[in-house]
Amino acid sequence: PPGGRPPAGGPGGPRRPGGPGPERRPGEEPTDLLPPVYQTTPREPELLTHREDEVELEPFYDDEYDEELTEEEARAVRRKKVWRRVRRATYVAFGLMLLAPVVAFAIAYQVVEVPIPEEVAAGQDKAITILYANGDELAKIAPDGANRTMVKYEDIPETIKRAVFAAEDPTFETNPGFDMTAIARAAWYQVTDRESGGSGLTQQYVKKATDQDDGTLSRKFNEMVTSYKMSQQQDKPAILTAYLNTVYFGRSAYGIKTAAKEYFGVEDLNQVTPSQAALLAGMIQNPSNSEIATYRADRWEYVMNQMLKYNWIDQEYRQTQQVPVPVDRSGQSGLSGPRLHIRQQVLEEMAKVGWDLDKAQRTGVTVHTTIDPVTQQAAEDSVREVMEGQPTDVLKSSLTAIDPHTGGVKAYYAGADGAGLDYARGTLQEAGSSFKPFDLVAALQAGKGLGTTYDGRSPKTFNNVGDRPITIRNASDPRNECGEQCSIRKAMEKSLNTVFYEMVLEIGTQPVAEAAHQAGIPREVVIGDQKKKLLVNENGGAPNAGIALGGGEAQVRPFDMASAYATFAARGVYHEPFFISKITNSEGKAVHQHIDKSGPAFDPDPIKSQDIADNVTEALRPVLTYSKIPCAGRECAGKTGTHELPDDAGQNSKAWMVGYTPSLSAAVWMGRNEGNKPLQDAQGRPIFGGGLPGQIWKKFMDKALAGTPPEPLPKAKPLGQYKEPVKTPSNPPTTTTDKKKEDEDRDRKPTTSQQEPTTTTQPPTTSRTGRPCTGLVCPTTPTSTDENAPDPGVGNGAPPPTG
């Protein structure tokens, strides 16, 4: 029967009765009558159980099972097998993912060591030496080791503790050494291009104590493990005390006790007010900006609001407090006056390249700058001599000089008060007509040339701007001598607004903004602690037509104008400006080396970029002669600029002079220390670009370049329509003035347009520079004249004294 023992038999098996087959042996039972399936060749006896198992399992073998399935069913079975293996591998991987961090954390916990505050403090008092380009010492920053008094927990008042919690880690007293919410928030801020720290107080202490601040995951992991271990081994008061004894507050102050003295002259921490504590705590985030007044104010506001949020101060106290003013520490680094601004710029650049003051003082480094002592002295002397007798308490100025060949800053004067506002990199100002060279770059890129002509008559009405006509007037050429066929070259010399306005309307405002960026105007800058995008409208799009005349969105930093004009001087090659050439450690080994980031600015083809820059230089050559501020004994090129007061077309609010030789580019800016108010000299006369700023620029260039061989400006390769066409008689002027008035105006300085006129329901009412008039009708008599002409305060057109 099925499953039973098969009968024995020789080859061929037993035969049926009467049939052929092998002979039976004596005693052997017949098998002839068995079914054929059992008529098998005799084999060795098998155990019944073995045979039964074999029969039972045989149908489940995969190969036999597959043979019985259709092709489609077999594929389905194989897919199930694959997914079964994938699931098993996933379970294993997931298990390892859960287990591996636990194992790694456990191992790291045994390996890491918790920093000892006294040992950390001992390594924080190394000096930083800052050198001029020639190797002379510019300044030395050395913490006063005698002030490093380690305070005890009971010596720290509650006002300071709460201020630090509010600024850095509100959950410090309850978290396990790190705040996962803060870490997640910091990660989200990074994804959305915002700045935020994700480290609590314990993590910050570990990071500074171990001198590890790179952005790797391994560093962050070790930091978290060490923070957790420290929280397990020490209580919160001990951790807070270690932190406040070693954290850096700026002003070369490590530890809360030293910081209180450096900022407020306080020896006893119990004398620190909640408001002062808020300022001190606010400096922890970015101590390199401790000398920037706007940054201090912003951080103080934040910490005070946080303290109010957590009920650590009341509303009445918050409303009655103002930003505390730190004590004056001028001269502590060997610097005073305007050179303190150099120190601040050097410190900011150190932080940018990964060597903030905290790290530098723990290492002890020497910083080699690009500042040339002779050129710096020339800048300071020129400003002082020209501004002698002027109301310098109201009038503010800046001067930046850059080497066009490298981008190195050779002189930096950002204001007479080095502890005050930085007027070179800390403010945005309308550039006036000093922005017109960027109009020209865009025109050259569009295929136009210096001989291309436009209608240079004034006033001129444009109907294709906005939803109403706009009238633009020139600030010079009252007789309309340039006429209907006025070349770009002549329009640049006389700074004719109508030509540049029409030209920019034709080529578009975005190409002009792009040309300025290519030259060296950044796309984004940081003013205080806020990022600002430049040369865009309020929605981030193309600027309005006011950019043609340096108004509206044409807001730039004076420092960047020196850099952009340096690109013209370098014949179309942009070099990123910088203050630090290298940083060396105590062994003299370079730990940072400046890498020149240069390349063709105006076209990927270096030759074409050079040709564009040379054509701009060609157009700027005659401006300085026309303005009667040429360089002494050498060729120079440049452009003046004046920004008209928004509410008074007869007054100005900013004035510029920017120019260069092949070896030096310099930008001079002048404005007021308060809002948009008339910019006037000691005699109450308006100040124009060719006036006091022009005099400062000329005096500086002559002093800085004295004794150096003259360098000729390059000859331009003609682009587009280069030669001026033969003029035909122009139409009579659209406005008339008497001869005497025109002669008087010719000796005065002009204004330029500032911004695109605001659209209203009134008839076209714009001033000669494109700004809305105060009445319904614009005045027909010019209120100011050519901004490239000499200032009325300089002998009715006579060249200014050179000293």
Side-chain angles (χ1 to χ4, degrees):
R5 183 185 299 276
R15 57 181 173 82
R16 292 189 298 271
E23 292 292 334
R24 293 199 307 271
R25 295 177 183 178
E28 195 174 79
E29 294 182 0
T31 58
D32 295 12
L33 299 180
L34 295 175
V37 66
Y38 294 110
Q39 296 176 17
T40 59
T41 303
R43 54 185 295 183
E44 292 296 323
E46 297 177 301
L47 293 174
L48 180 59
T49 54
H50 183 109
R51 182 61 182 172
E52 287 177 345
D53 290 343
E54 184 177 351
V55 174
E56 290 289 336
L57 296 175
E58 200 169 24
F60 296 94
Y61 287 169
D62 287 344
D63 291 342
E64 290 191 16
Y65 185 54
D66 290 346
E67 289 177 0
E68 296 175 4
L69 299 176
T70 65
E71 184 178 350
E72 182 178 352
E73 291 172 332
R75 283 198 299 268
V77 170
R78 286 193 291 269
R79 283 197 295 269
K80 289 183 64 176
K81 294 178 182 178
V82 171
W83 280 111
R84 184 168 60 247
R85 297 189 183 102
V86 170
R87 286 196 304 272
R88 290 172 179 173
T90 302
Y91 297 153
V92 172
F94 185 72
L96 291 175
M97 288 176 59
L98 295 177
L99 184 61
V102 175
V103 174
F105 194 96
I107 295 174
Y109 188 89
Q110 302 300 323
V111 174
V112 297
E113 295 183 359
V114 176
I116 301 174
E118 288 75 14
E119 294 180 357
V120 174
Q124 292 179 325
D125 57 356
K126 297 180 178 66
I128 299 174
T129 303
I130 303 176
L131 304 179
Y132 287 105
N134 66 352
D136 293 344
E137 184 176 305
L138 188 156
K140 183 180 287 291
I141 303 173
D144 187 356
N147 288 338
R148 291 302 305 278
T149 303
M150 304 292 283
V151 298
K152 299 179 180 179
Y153 180 78
E154 54 269 22
D155 297 330
I156 306 173
E158 288 297 317
T159 54
I160 292 178
K161 297 175 188 174
R162 291 169 176 173
V164 173
F165 294 158
E168 296 297 313
D169 190 359
T171 67
F172 168 76
E173 294 180 299
T174 57
N175 65 48
F178 51 86
D179 185 353
M180 291 303 301
T181 302
I183 293 174
R185 182 176 62 248
W188 171 248
Y189 280 1
Q190 288 184 353
V191 171
T192 56
D193 195 27
R194 289 182 289 174
E195 293 184 358
S196 174
S199 300
L201 294 187
T202 313
Q203 286 177 272
Q204 290 184 42
Y205 169 73
V206 170
K207 179 170 62 177
K208 297 300 182 182
T210 58
D211 195 19
Q212 298 293 325
D213 57 2
D214 56 281
T216 62
L217 291 176
S218 59
R219 192 277 301 173
K220 197 69 176 177
F221 178 76
N222 286 333
E223 177 186 298
M224 291 179 62
V225 175
T226 308
S227 300
Y228 179 77
K229 185 174 183 177
M230 187 174 186
S231 296
Q232 296 300 305
Q233 293 181 349
Q234 301 179 23
D235 57 18
K236 293 293 184 177
I239 296 174
L240 179 63
T241 304
Y243 177 80
L244 289 178
N245 273 319
T246 57
V247 71
Y248 183 59
F249 289 87
R251 291 202 161 198
S252 300
Y254 286 95
I256 185 62
K257 189 171 182 65
T258 307
K261 181 177 181 181
E262 290 296 317
Y263 278 88
F264 304 115
V266 175
E267 294 284 355
D268 184 356
L269 292 180
N270 289 307
Q271 297 176 356
V272 176
T273 67
S275 179
Q276 292 174 334
L279 180 62
L280 292 175
M283 295 301 97
I284 295 174
Q285 184 186 77
N286 194 348
S288 297
N289 291 336
S290 62
E291 301 310 295
I292 301 177
T294 54
Y295 177 78
R296 290 198 304 263
D298 290 342
R299 290 298 296 161
W300 177 83
E301 290 280 354
Y302 170 77
V303 178
M304 288 290 283
N305 290 337
Q306 285 287 94
M307 293 175 72
L308 179 62
K309 174 183 176 181
Y310 289 100
N311 296 318
W312 291 328
I313 58 174
D314 56 37
Q315 184 67 45
E316 181 181 359
Y317 183 82
R318 174 70 181 88
Q319 292 178 342
T320 59
Q321 294 302 302
Q322 295 182 343
V323 184
V325 179
V327 297
D328 183 17
R329 60 194 302 273
S330 302
Q332 289 191 13
S333 61
L335 295 178
S336 61
R339 299 195 186 192
L340 280 172
H341 283 303
I342 299 176
R343 176 185 183 273
Q344 183 61 32
Q345 290 303 315
V346 170
L347 293 180
E348 289 183 17
E349 189 165 313
M350 287 172 62
K352 182 179 178 182
V353 300
W355 281 89
D356 60 21
L357 194 55
D358 182 15
K359 180 178 179 180
Q361 287 184 159
R362 284 185 277 113
T363 303
V365 299
T366 299
V367 183
H368 304 254
T369 74
T370 60
I371 300 295
D372 177 65
V374 175
T375 308
Q376 179 65 30
Q377 191 63 52
E380 296 174 14
D381 291 345
S382 299
V383 174
R384 186 183 65 255
E385 292 169 11
V386 172
M387 296 302 293
E388 186 175 359
Q390 298 294 337
T392 53
D393 58 328
V394 174
L395 298 180
K396 302 301 177 182
S397 58
S398 71
L399 189 159
T400 301
I402 292 177
D403 184 349
H405 300 299
T406 65
V409 181
K410 303 191 71 173
Y412 191 76
Y413 181 99
D417 181 7
L421 181 63
D422 184 313
Y423 290 102
R425 297 188 77 180
T427 61
L428 291 174
Q429 309 291 342
E430 294 86 350
S433 286
S434 62
F435 203 82
K436 288 177 179 175
F438 308 131
D439 299 350
L440 177 53
V441 170
L444 293 168
Q445 291 173 330
K448 302 186 183 301
L450 298 184
T452 302
T453 61
Y454 291 88
D455 188 349
R457 296 173 297 173
S458 173
K460 185 174 176 61
T461 300
F462 297 89
N463 296 308
N464 55 342
V465 181
D467 57 0
R468 67 181 180 84
I470 290 178
T471 300
I472 300 296
R473 296 175 181 270
N474 290 331
S476 62
D477 196 20
R479 298 189 182 95
N480 284 325
E481 294 174 349
C482 205
E484 190 175 0
Q485 293 180 301
C486 184
S487 69
I488 295 177
R489 178 189 286 106
K490 184 59 68 174
M492 183 69 79
E493 178 181 347
K494 293 190 173 186
S495 197
L496 301 183
N497 294 333
T498 57
V499 169
F500 285 95
Y501 199 85
E502 181 178 357
M503 183 176 73
V504 170
L505 288 180
E506 181 179 329
I507 63 179
T509 60
Q510 188 57 47
V512 173
E514 188 61 30
H517 290 316
Q518 292 170 347
I521 303 299
R523 298 181 186 276
E524 185 178 79
V525 297
V526 177
I527 302 296
D529 63 345
Q530 296 183 348
K531 291 183 179 180
K532 294 184 178 292
K533 295 185 182 298
L534 302 187
L535 310 184
V536 297
N537 63 26
E538 59 184 7
N539 298 318
N544 63 33
I547 194 176
L549 309 177
E553 287 99 5
Q555 294 190 343
V556 295
R557 301 183 302 182
F559 176 88
D560 298 323
M561 289 293 281
S563 173
Y565 273 54
T567 302
F568 299 142
R571 306 187 70 185
V573 177
Y574 169 72
H575 297 270
E576 183 178 8
F578 64 103
F579 284 85
I580 300 173
S581 58
K582 66 178 179 179
I583 301 175
T584 57
N585 59 19
S586 57
E587 299 174 353
K589 180 181 178 181
V591 293
H592 165 74
Q593 186 80 44
H594 173 74
I595 299 176
D596 184 20
K597 298 179 181 179
S598 62
F602 307 120
D603 193 274
D605 182 355
I607 300 301
K608 189 170 183 180
S609 181
Q610 174 178 296
D611 293 339
I612 292 174
D614 290 350
N615 274 259
V616 173
T617 297
E618 183 69 22
L620 298 180
R621 281 174 182 266
V623 172
L624 301 184
T625 301
Y626 184 79
S627 302
K628 294 183 169 55
I629 50 172
C631 294
R634 65 182 70 239
E635 295 181 351
C636 292
K639 187 71 183 75
T640 58
T642 308
H643 177 66
E644 193 176 77
L645 195 64
D647 299 325
D648 188 346
Q651 297 290 338
N652 306 318
S653 62
K654 292 105 181 175
W656 298 73
M657 173 57 208
V658 192
Y660 55 90
T661 68
S663 60
L664 192 63
S665 173
V668 176
W669 168 88
M670 186 169 292
R672 290 182 61 109
N673 63 341
E674 51 182 355
N676 284 326
K677 292 188 177 181
L679 188 65
Q680 299 175 341
D681 63 12
Q683 287 72 41
R685 296 171 299 195
I687 297 174
F688 301 86
L692 294 178
Q695 295 176 46
I696 292 173
W697 182 88
K698 172 180 169 52
K699 188 179 285 291
F700 165 73
M701 296 295 281
D702 292 343
K703 286 177 177 289
L705 297 172
T708 63
E711 300 171 282
L713 292 171
K715 298 295 182 181
K717 175 184 176 181
L719 295 177
Q721 181 179 332
Y722 189 74
K723 293 185 179 180
E724 298 184 28
V726 178
K727 286 188 177 182
T728 58
S730 61
N731 296 331
T734 55
T735 59
T736 59
T737 56
D738 59 72
K739 179 70 166 55
K740 180 179 179 181
K741 178 62 178 175
E742 290 180 359
D743 290 340
E744 290 175 353
D745 287 342
R746 182 178 291 274
D747 291 332
R748 300 184 66 234
K749 295 302 301 173
T751 60
T752 66
S753 105
Q754 291 72 45
Q755 65 184 34
E756 188 70 7
T758 303
T759 301
T760 65
T761 56
Q762 296 179 342
T765 56
T766 57
S767 73
R768 65 227 291 289
T769 60
R771 297 193 62 82
C773 298
T774 54
L776 296 179
V777 181
C778 289
T780 57
T781 303
T783 55
S784 60
T785 58
D786 182 6
E787 66 184 49
N788 284 344
D791 187 77
V794 188
N796 292 326
T802 57

